[in-house]
Amino acid sequence: MSTETQTSYDPDQTTTMTMREAIRQALREELDRDEDVFLMGEDVGHFGGVLDVTDGLYDEFGDTRVRDTPISEAGFMGAGVGAAATGSRPVVEIMFSDFLGVSMEQVMNQMAKMRYMFGGKTEMPITVRTTEGGGMGAASQHSGTVHTWFAHFPGLLAVTPGTPAAAKGLLKTAIRSDDPVFFFENKMTYEQQGEVPTDEEFTIPLGEANVEREGEDVTVVATQRLVGESLSAADELDGDVSLEVIDLRSLYPLDTDTLVESLNKTGRMVVADESPLSYGVHSEVVARVMENAFFSIDAPIERVGVPDTHIPFSPALEGEVLPDAADVRRAVQRIT
Amino acid sequence: MVTIDIETEDGRREALRRMLTIRAFDSTASDYFADGEIPGFVHLYIGEEAVGTGACAALEDQDYITSTHRGHGHCIAKGLDPKYMMAELFGKRDGYCNGKGGSMHIADVDAGMLGANGIVGAGPPLATGAALTAQQKGEDRIALAFFGDGAVAQGQVHEAINLAATWDLPAVFLVENNQFGEGTPVDLQHNVQALSETAEAYDIPGFTIDGMDITAVYEAVGQARERAASGDGPTFIEAETYRYRGHFEGDPQPYRDDDDVARWRERDPIETFKDRLVDRGELTEEEYEALREEAESTIEEAVDYARNAEDPAPAEAYDDMFAVPVPEIEQFADRMRADGGTR
């Protein structure tokens, strides 16, 4: 898929940074680049973000560009929608994705539908950032992975970076997009390090997956934290089974071509995503390859995710439900 | 031109013309809905014309409004063309929303109309957002949210007012208390005597006005606009009015007392305003009849236009989802339409 935000950049100029720094850099660059961009959310200003992502931006850009909101997700999500419809480019932060439910009317019936219902006579350039995922012992109301709801709902775009570079490039594209984009950050990836292009014009088109590691035997389609886990699994299995690891990056639109191309090569696929297993990203990936590459499939496609539970508090329980490299490895071994 | 000056004779005549146009539009919509020519749901503004007209007359052209289920009156008051509104009600391509919105979603963002809305209470957050854009960009424009008494029970309305009050946004929150929240009388939905009492909670001005009197609405909104535009923040206004028709057309209205309708009709916003102008010697009964007929013929022309307009092509159902189209929509549509056989 082509987007008007696609620009050329120098891929050789990179710096090592964490996912958190990559996201912050994307926000800083876009705040600098376009006066219509502003951030708002709970504790994003003074406090610097509850997980430190927006740290420093309030001091750099001031309280009109980085706005601390009252604790009222429906109110400020709706204000973001109204602002986007009238010429602003708000970046709304929902502190934990579990709180998105509080704002859902404005997401479902206003943000997602206004452009269509108005016959295309408004744009909706809003970005919603939120954190997902378990692993911190934060229990069920601060650990969910809800991105499939938004990938499923017509009128919204949904992306999930698996690497720091993807985080920077996708977030910049999201902010420049005239459509509503949900940007899902897995909280356990904030410390993950990687090489990130420093060029301010580095953007990644929405709707493109990325082959992080080439392989011959099994395609692992992974998202967020599970990209790293799948790369670890690939290392462990190296010499025995050759894994091709794809960072899906964009949940909607979904890059069917890259998935099909990889499956045509390997004939086998594992889909690894931290959302509950039923009716989710996993199922959509499977359906797409069934529709487009059925005769290339040599073995049942395996799913790795959360077995339809909420995320429990006790580390002894949380570790049980959260998928990791070992789950990916076992899934590969079941089909090879 | 949306703004009119009710202090002048021309302005008053224009205000009357606008109210008559709204009433003609909605009476006509009622007829064609009953005939089955207009699909879906239709919610009429008859009886409430002074509120929308008085409020929009006090706004500047560049100001934004958000609306409700009952949005036709707000649209006409904000200067939208009844021709394209009627075409939208008829589901035609030339309607304001290319036939995708219908009665409940008419919008014209360029004209400052951010949409009628099918969700009770969803408009105020949008108005807060439009006011936020104005403040961010330092623009001389405000946003006014029309919402009903039913919406005052919705949490997001209070969140929107709190946000606008906290940030001193240029917004006006205007409750049209038409005495019913859908099918339930207002006193069964709220404990406060006057809905405007809620303004106290946000430390903003709040008052209740006679929504059957266009002059009262015009003056109140004019003051609220001035306050908003000068950076002092929002105002909460409750306009007491009355919904002559049911919640939706076809509503059997078991909740209504016929005597109430008769009593409110004695204070009809159009009749009383006309009488006042006649008393002042600014208008004759003949001139009034001429204005009324003019309004009705404007709407008849709108119906002719709507009837003769083209339906959208079925494939247009897949347009307008995104600024940059996604491949999924076309691919899925093609696959759904395919006849089968070996791929």
Side-chain angles (χ1 to χ4, degrees), chain A residues 67 75 88 116 121 179 254, chain B residues 96 133 136 156 159 317 323 328:
Chain A
R67 286 178 175 259
S88 297
Y116 185 77
K121 296 198 185 86
D179 291 312
L254 187 69
Chain B
Y96 268 108
T133 291
Q136 290 282 121
Q156 61 176 326
E159 294 187 20
E328 272 81 352

Side-chain angles (χ1 to χ4, degrees), chain A residues 2-35:
Chain A
S2 67
T3 79
E4 58 205 21
T5 59
Q6 198 167 4
T7 46
S8 59
Y9 70 99
D10 183 351
D12 296 329
Q13 293 290 315
T14 65
T15 307
T16 307
M17 64 176 80
T18 64
M19 179 85 86
R20 179 185 284 112
E21 288 163 344
I23 292 167
R24 190 186 299 139
Q25 192 175 81
L27 293 171
R28 178 185 289 117
E29 287 176 6
E30 295 308 300
L31 280 164
D32 239 348
R33 176 179 174 271
D34 185 348
E35 284 195 349

Side-chain angles (χ1 to χ4, degrees), chain A residues 36 64 67 70 72 74-75 79 83 86-88 105-106 110 115-117 119 121 123 155 179 252-254 288, chain B residues 64 96-98 100 117 119 122 125 129 132-133 135-137 156 159 163 167 317 319-324 326 328:
Chain A
D36 292 340
T64 58
R67 286 178 175 259
S72 54
T86 52
S88 297
E105 152 50 27
Q106 286 293 328
Q110 314 301 326
R115 186 177 204 284
Y116 185 77
M117 290 195 312
K121 296 198 185 86
E123 303 299 351
D179 291 312
Y252 193 89
L254 187 69
R288 294 286 181 98
Chain B
Y64 287 108
Y96 268 108
C97 309
N98 305 352
K100 293 213 180 69
N117 210 310
I119 303 296
L132 180 53
T133 291
Q135 191 189 66
Q136 290 282 121
K137 293 177 183 267
Q156 61 176 326
E159 294 187 20
L163 195 61
W167 290 352
D319 295 343
D320 301 326
M321 283 295 288
F322 294 106
V324 177
V326 299
E328 272 81 352

